[in-house]
Amino acid sequence: SLAGDSSVALQAQEEIIEMKDIFSVKLKRRRFAGQKKGGTLLGITIFKCLNKEENKLTDCAVHLNNLSEDHCQSWFRHLKEILNGFQNRPKSLKVFVNPSSHKREAVHVYYEKVAPLFKLADIKTDVTVTEYEGHALSVLKECELQTFDGVVCVGGDGSVSEVVHGLLLRAQIDAGKDTEYVSKPVRAPVPLGVIPAGTTNILAHTLYGIKHAVTATLHIVMGHIQAVDVCTFSTPSKLLRFGFSAMFGFGARTLALAEKHRWMPSSQRKDFAFLKTLADLKPEECELSFLPLQIPQEDSHENDKITLLYLGSKDQWQKIQGHFLNVSIMAIPCLCSMAPRGLAPNTRLNNGSMALIVVQNTSRTEFIKHLKRYSSVKNQFNFPFVETYTVQEVKVQPRLKSGPDAKENTCLSAASAEGNYPWNIDGDLMKEASEVHVRVHPQLIDLYGVNTDDLESSQATCTCI
């Protein structure tokens, strides 16, 4: 057997390493200064993935020594063969790096923390450092996607949103679908990996439970794949965007104001916009139509009041009209450091539903109490002015203001006068005048992230003595 390298222990120790935790095997050689090839074969180094804390993954090297070259080569070939049997693990990736994300740290994060692990795992990469908004989208429309096993985005929520939209738009083009109006979209052709390098990193937090580039990279390297629901955001005449979440009202106006102050540092800009929008707090007058989640009868339980609530005839749309401070529509929980339970804790990554959270007009003090609850473990929706629904579709129809109340104090008067209302879709600002229709599409994209504990093809283990 292979002897474990131990300079401290006086006697041999046994350690069981499961092959599913190993992501790379290398031959270990002794080389002289300046020697690049050859050298004395000392043994094998196994690189494995460790779960150090609750959500954090790290890499670890285990050195195995042996004096027999033939024995080492035989073990090396056998271990490589087993590793090649893990089907979900990528061998070639298309990588997008947004150099403008957060504190312009994405390039450093990629080349210092991510690229070395990809190289160690023998993953080939084709890297595009984006130069302008929409760059990733244009590349995705043209590149030979079939040559890659996956796509990786290094950046913040806006960058990820663009890549998700590009991947799914490309899927519709390849399937010969109309991209102006998409009712039943086809799935993304390859999985997407998200490396957090932005300010909030909601999707990364939701997938990994932590903002940690190495954890995200190891999930990609190990081929941990999770199918995730995606929404389409459309007007009556065209597709606006593929995405996971949207806010209309306070959350959108805050983003719109922040975008007008791009010259400020990121954190200052967001704090300023949040406080200014809060100071100028105003409700939006609109009509919300929604289709509650239809749950098949066989899935319901006799005493399950929640299930019974959403049973009903097909296409039973409901409407509510009024003045709303914020409307959130989210297909995923949307975790972040400021909301550890998530902005929509009652939904899941792939349960085929969206959370519709409606905050009716109330005092600024009460609204602040509701916002503060997001950072605690208390129920942020336990207020008389907050309503939550589990839905399949939502239509938001703003009512254009007129008269003396039309003037906005948040530098958005021009947009409002034109009837263009801001939307915050996955951290990206969109302005739209007409009704916006949001539909959820179950498991439309695979994301590298949550380990679904699927049984992998090889369950071999390696005993190191």
Side-chain angles (χ1 to χ4, degrees), residues 104-126:
R104 304 187 182 277
E105 62 185 11
V107 173
H108 171 78
V109 166
Y110 178 72
Y111 286 107
E112 294 297 319
K113 297 180 180 179
V114 180
L117 284 170
F118 285 165
K119 185 178 179 183
L120 194 59
D122 298 318
I123 297 172
K124 293 177 182 176
T125 56
D126 181 75

Side-chain angles (χ1 to χ4, degrees), residues 122-330:
D122 298 318
I123 297 172
K124 293 177 182 176
T125 56
D126 181 75
V127 182
T128 297
V129 178
T130 56
E131 297 171 8
Y132 53 89
E133 189 177 339
H135 189 179
L137 179 60
S138 62
V139 171
L140 280 168
K141 283 183 178 179
E142 302 295 331
C143 76
E144 300 289 331
L145 264 183
Q146 67 271 19
T147 62
F148 302 105
D149 299 314
V151 172
V152 173
C153 178
V154 188
D157 292 328
S159 311
V160 175
S161 175
E162 182 181 324
V163 173
V164 167
H165 179 64
L167 261 178
L168 284 163
L169 204 60
R170 173 63 185 271
Q172 312 319 306
I173 293 168
D174 289 350
K177 296 249 182 184
D178 178 10
T179 55
E180 283 296 303
Y181 186 77
V182 181
S183 58
K184 291 185 178 178
V186 296
R187 295 187 93 241
V190 292
L192 171 66
V194 179
I195 308 290
T199 310
T200 49
N201 305 287
I202 280 175
L203 190 57
H205 266 283
T206 305
L207 285 168
Y208 318 124
I210 190 173
K211 180 190 175 181
H212 190 240
V214 170
T215 295
T217 307
L218 286 170
H219 276 299
I220 297 168
V221 167
M222 302 299 287
H224 297 161
I225 286 179
Q226 170 72 61
V228 178
D229 301 339
V230 182
C231 302
T232 48
F233 300 89
S234 311
T235 67
S237 60
K238 65 175 181 176
L239 172 73
L240 296 174
R241 194 85 177 189
F242 287 99
F244 300 101
S245 65
M247 283 187 279
F248 178 78
F250 179 80
R253 292 208 172 272
T254 300
L255 178 63
L257 190 60
E259 288 297 311
K260 285 183 172 288
H261 293 77
R262 295 291 295 184
W263 51 271
M264 284 184 170
S266 177
S267 56
Q268 286 182 29
R269 179 173 75 238
K270 294 193 174 184
D271 289 346
F272 164 78
F274 177 83
L275 294 171
K276 184 77 169 74
T277 310
L278 199 56
D280 297 330
L281 190 64
K282 288 181 181 66
E284 300 288 357
E285 184 181 355
C286 64
E287 177 183 282
L288 301 175
S289 307
F290 58 90
L291 185 61
L293 178 66
Q294 308 292 331
I295 301 176
Q297 187 68 45
E298 59 268 22
D299 289 350
S300 64
H301 305 285
E302 282 184 34
N303 299 320
D304 192 340
K305 292 180 181 177
I306 296 174
T307 300
L308 295 175
L309 178 66
Y310 298 116
L311 288 174
S313 63
K314 197 167 175 61
D315 296 333
Q316 192 174 4
W317 284 83
Q318 297 183 19
K319 282 186 181 180
I320 49 175
Q321 288 181 316
H323 293 77
F324 307 118
L325 290 176
N326 194 67
V327 177
S328 298
I329 305 164
M330 299 178 170

Side-chain angles (χ1 to χ4, degrees), residues 363-408:
S363 68
R364 185 180 290 105
T365 304
E366 289 298 299
F367 184 62
I368 290 171
K369 283 182 186 176
H370 159 66
L371 294 179
K372 278 185 174 180
R373 285 274 185 94
Y374 279 102
S375 62
S376 73
V377 294
K378 292 181 181 178
N379 185 347
Q380 61 262 51
F381 310 126
N382 191 21
F383 291 96
F385 54 87
V386 181
E387 297 174 12
T388 61
Y389 306 90
T390 303
V391 300
Q392 300 176 85
E393 296 184 42
V394 181
K395 294 177 183 176
V396 181
Q397 177 67 66
R399 300 297 179 199
L400 187 61
K401 292 184 179 73
S402 59
D405 293 334
K407 189 172 179 344
E408 293 286 336

Side-chain angles (χ1 to χ4, degrees), residues 411-462:
C411 303
L412 295 165
S413 53
S416 296
E418 295 166 10
N420 289 327
Y421 289 84
W423 279 82
N424 179 341
I425 299 179
D426 292 333
D428 256 1
L429 178 66
M430 296 198 74
K431 290 181 180 177
E432 190 52 51
S434 61
E435 173 185 278
V436 173
H437 187 177
V438 188
R439 286 190 187 96
V440 65
H441 304 276
Q443 304 184 21
L444 198 58
I445 191 170
D446 287 330
L447 297 179
Y448 290 110
V450 178
N451 185 359
T452 53
D453 295 322
D454 289 334
L455 289 174
E456 304 219 38
S457 57
S458 176
Q459 295 295 323
T461 58
C462 170

Side-chain angles (χ1 to χ4, degrees), residues 1-19:
S1 64
L2 293 168
D5 181 15
S6 175
S7 56
V8 179
L10 296 175
Q11 58 185 27
Q13 293 182 348
E14 184 176 293
E15 180 186 355
I16 305 295
I17 301 175
E18 291 190 75
M19 286 302 299

